Amino acid sequence: MDVGFFGLFGLLYTLFILGLFVFAIYFVISLLKFMKNKQKTDQEMNEKLNTLIEEIRYRKN
């Protein structure tokens, strides 16, 4: 069962494409998790800024 020189490259090419596909799926999932976390932290920061602005306005008056 001799695979041969070109058969080896065909196998390597298939593994490379499969690896790229798996990496792309992993990247998209990681990006979605990051954006969800970022949205949550941005909302918390906006709430804290609103509280700070209200406190500054209260102290000025």
Side-chain angles (χ1 to χ4, degrees):
M1 181 145 188
D2 187 22
V3 175
F5 187 68
F6 293 109
L8 181 63
F9 278 119
L11 180 64
L12 290 175
Y13 176 75
T14 304
L15 291 175
F16 179 73
I17 296 298
L18 184 63
L20 282 178
F21 185 68
V22 169
F23 176 74
I25 291 172
Y26 171 77
F27 180 75
V28 168
I29 291 171
S30 297
L31 185 65
L32 290 174
K33 286 182 180 180
F34 170 76
M35 292 305 292
K36 184 178 179 181
N37 189 28
K38 183 180 182 320
Q39 188 177 22
K40 181 181 173 186
T41 56
D42 285 349
Q43 181 67 29
E44 291 174 359
M45 185 176 61
N46 287 338
E47 291 172 3
K48 289 178 182 180
L49 283 173
N50 287 335
T51 305
L52 182 61
I53 290 170
E54 289 174 7
E55 184 68 27
I56 290 173
R57 285 183 182 162
Y58 175 74
R59 289 186 183 199
K60 279 190 174 182
N61 293 330

